[in-house]
Amino acid sequence: PEDKTKEQMLRCIDSKLAYYGMCKKDLAKAMDVSGKTVTNRYNQPELFTLKELLRICKRLKIEMILTEKGVEGSCEGCQWEAKK
């Protein structure tokens, strides 16, 4: 994904974390991974697995659409797309 897309995706996740009063530790639990993995994913968002993105979107109620080209997501006016 382009840098702009990465920033939009992380901004969307951070926005929802704040909205629900959650922290990255809570996100790690929702993703069923360690806190270190979440930190690594934030540093390199292209490493998010589809399973992790699905869990994040489900927990944070982020709309996510799977397409032939990859994954699209949106929340509160912010849209992002992660291509295969």
Side-chain angles (χ1 to χ4, degrees):
E2 297 177 16
D3 287 340
K4 183 179 177 183
T5 300
K6 293 177 194 178
E7 291 173 18
Q8 289 172 332
M9 182 179 75
L10 294 177
R11 194 168 46 244
C12 183
I13 292 170
D14 286 339
S15 166
K16 287 292 190 169
L17 285 175
Y19 179 80
Y20 291 113
M22 298 171 64
C23 64
K24 289 183 183 174
K25 184 177 179 181
D26 299 316
L27 185 62
K29 187 175 179 180
M31 292 170 58
D32 197 28
V33 298
S34 70
K36 179 67 175 165
T37 298
V38 172
T39 299
N40 290 340
R41 298 300 190 263
Y42 262 74
N43 292 336
Q44 292 182 289
E46 63 274 10
L47 297 180
F48 274 110
T49 66
L50 179 57
K51 186 176 184 178
E52 291 168 347
L53 286 175
L54 287 170
R55 287 182 175 179
I56 291 169
C57 290
K58 182 177 180 181
R59 178 64 181 94
L60 299 178
K61 297 180 176 91
I62 297 172
E63 181 182 338
M64 183 170 147
I65 301 168
L66 299 175
T67 69
E68 291 179 1
K69 295 180 180 180
V71 177
E72 296 177 12
S74 67
C75 65
E76 301 167 10
C78 176
Q79 294 184 334
W80 50 270
E81 181 179 339
K83 298 181 181 179
K84 288 182 182 179

